[in-house]
Amino acid sequence: MTHYDTIVIGLGGMGSAAAYRLAQRGQRVLGIDQFAPVHNQGSSHGGSRITRQAYFEDPAYVPLLLRAHELWDGIERDSGLPIFTRCGGVMLGKPDSRTVAGSLLSAQQWGLEHELLDAPEIRRRFPTMRPADDEIALYEGGAGLVVPEASVGAHLRLAARAGAELHHEEKVVAWTSTADGVRVMTSADMYTAGQLVVCPGAWAPALLTELGIEFTVERQVQYWFAPEGGTEPFGPDRHPVYIWENADGRQFYGFPAHNGPEDGVKVAFFRGGKPTTPETIDRTVHPEEVEEMAGFVRERMPSLPGGFLRGATCMYTTTADEHFVISRHPAHERVVIACGFSGHGFKFVPVVGEILADLVVDGATAHPISLFDPARLTGAPL
């Protein structure tokens, strides 16, 4: 039986980054995933994810975002794969909305470059948008999008180059702690290691039952439309990424047309999907869902929806407070866990990989991760 320094369960966004950073530090790494490389069955697909630093969720995330932006450049350079497109970003809504006010708080607290735009200025700069007169936006020039498939592919490529052994289409059945390490049972074999990193995505409820944390898995839908008049006004040199909050608090988000005219423009609602499981998720995008999305953007984007091109489903996995879980397992000292990222996690991929390698190799990390302690959700002492 081959013994490894560290086994990584799950090779999506976070797991692929962890496998790379661990192998880069000289660890003998085994990465295991139940699907083929760069698959579309979890949460790391769909062609684009927003990345931003003026973070309305909590200013505590900003230092991690600053580091992530540094690391994206290195991942692109070392892998040879384009991942990050800087096209600017706007957070829109009423001045007191969480999207605008929270973004402004983070920008001011951390001294991030930004502008506040009123409705006429938004319309002037970005004719693709039609905000109401009482809406404003925080504009962040360094924001943009990352391609999740390219990120996963790049990290897997770099992990293998650094010596990691990667097993795909091999399902983890169970894992256990032992006196001197961990044991992982799969559909193909059993493996042992000194430590284990679990990046389960939507499979967190099944693989991390001992945590005592209630994870919510939601079905989400992404939509691509062909705008009236073509995609030229939506090019990344003219149209930003955005999150737009409605008067009732509902948010939707979108991207520039960064994949060429044939791919159209992607939009989606932010959260609010139906509860599901990885085994029961409905992968069909239904006509009434398309019409709901079309009606929503029709009021806010002059040339959308235009024609519907396609839709795709994915899963959000969240905790009760929507913050991440990054920690050593409270009941298993040789196990490190990283989960609950969905809705706003992908932009953190490279820095989370670095954090997980720190926790395994050094036993701690200099990155600020106290917000992600699972004890906050279980009632255990912090």
Side-chain angles (χ1 to χ4, degrees):
M1 181 188 305
T2 304
H3 184 79
Y4 300 88
D5 294 323
T6 305
I7 295 174
V8 178
I9 297 177
L11 294 174
M14 304 305 177
S16 62
Y20 167 49
R21 293 302 177 184
L22 286 162
Q24 186 186 43
R25 296 194 192 188
Q27 291 260 309
R28 186 171 192 179
V29 176
L30 170 64
I32 307 172
D33 196 283
Q34 63 183 314
F35 299 111
V38 197
H39 61 81
N40 63 356
Q41 298 301 297
S43 306
S44 297
H45 62 280
S48 53
R49 293 289 185 277
I50 290 174
T51 184
R52 52 195 165 89
Q53 294 180 340
Y55 217 59
F56 64 76
E57 287 84 348
D58 195 304
Y61 285 89
V62 174
L64 301 179
L65 290 162
L66 296 173
R67 178 59 176 160
H69 276 219
E70 294 174 351
L71 292 171
W72 283 121
D73 291 337
I75 294 297
E76 285 190 317
R77 180 189 64 246
D78 295 342
S79 69
L81 295 176
I83 301 171
F84 190 168
T85 298
R86 288 175 175 81
C87 56
V90 290
M91 303 296 111
L92 298 97
K94 294 193 175 179
D96 61 350
S97 65
R98 182 190 183 203
T99 303
V100 175
S103 299
L104 181 59
L105 175 65
S106 283
Q108 291 175 333
Q109 183 168 320
W110 289 97
L112 303 175
E113 290 189 15
H114 67 282
E115 297 177 69
L116 287 178
L117 312 179
D118 61 16
E121 181 64 9
I122 298 168
R123 298 182 201 119
R124 186 188 71 80
R125 288 202 199 182
F126 309 115
T128 49
M129 298 179 167
R130 187 168 52 204
D133 290 341
D134 60 350
E135 291 182 314
I136 67 170
L138 181 140
Y139 174 73
E140 178 185 341
L145 65 93
V146 294
V147 178
E149 293 90 343
S151 169
V152 174
H155 281 101
L156 291 176
R157 177 183 296 184
L158 293 171
R161 187 184 300 170
E165 184 178 327
L166 305 176
H167 291 193
H168 292 277
E169 298 181 281
E170 185 172 339
K171 184 177 177 63
V172 171
V173 177
W175 62 265
T176 58
S177 292
T178 65
D180 57 355
V182 296
R183 182 182 296 116
V184 176
M185 286 71 71
T186 75
S187 54
D189 209 339
M190 182 173 70
Y191 309 97
T192 62
Q195 298 194 65
L196 176 66
V197 176
V198 185
C199 300
W203 288 263
L207 287 174
L208 296 173
T209 54
E210 284 184 86
L211 270 181
I213 293 175
E214 183 177 351
F215 294 99
T216 300
V217 180
E218 294 180 356
R219 172 183 174 273
Q220 299 291 329
V221 183
Q222 304 162 82
Y223 306 84
W224 286 260
F225 293 96
E228 295 175 7
T231 58
E232 185 176 351
F234 289 87
D237 58 335
R238 302 174 66 181
H239 179 78
V241 297
Y242 60 90
I243 299 176
W244 200 330
E245 184 172 332
N246 198 23
D248 63 3
R250 192 176 194 186
Q251 297 163 302
F252 82 109
Y253 64 96
F255 300 84
H258 67 105
N259 278 335
E262 67 282 352
D263 199 45
V265 173
K266 177 183 167 183
V267 296
F269 288 117
F270 190 41
R271 303 195 184 282
K274 295 180 180 178
T276 189
T277 70
E279 294 75 28
T280 61
I281 182 172
D282 179 4
R283 297 284 184 182
T284 301
V285 178
H286 300 279
E288 59 271 22
E289 294 177 308
V290 176
E291 183 49 42
E292 181 187 19
M293 186 79 257
F296 205 82
V297 298
R298 186 177 290 117
E299 298 178 6
R300 297 162 176 85
M301 314 283 281
S303 58
L304 287 180
F308 176 63
L309 295 175
R310 63 187 175 95
T313 59
C314 69
M315 290 177 283
Y316 277 9
T317 307
T318 58
T319 62
D321 61 9
E322 297 180 355
H323 295 309
F324 310 153
V325 173
I326 306 175
S327 173
R328 284 207 168 270
H329 195 300
H332 302 279
E333 64 178 18
R334 293 179 178 271
V335 179
V336 174
I337 53 178
C339 51
F341 294 101
S342 294
H344 64 124
F346 205 93
K347 60 184 71 65
F348 296 90
V349 158
V351 71
V352 169
E354 194 170 66
I355 289 167
L356 296 176
D358 288 344
L359 294 176
V360 169
V361 176
D362 303 326
T365 182
H367 290 296
I369 62 169
S370 59
L371 180 61
F372 312 134
D373 191 325
R376 75 185 194 276
L377 299 167
T378 63
L382 287 169

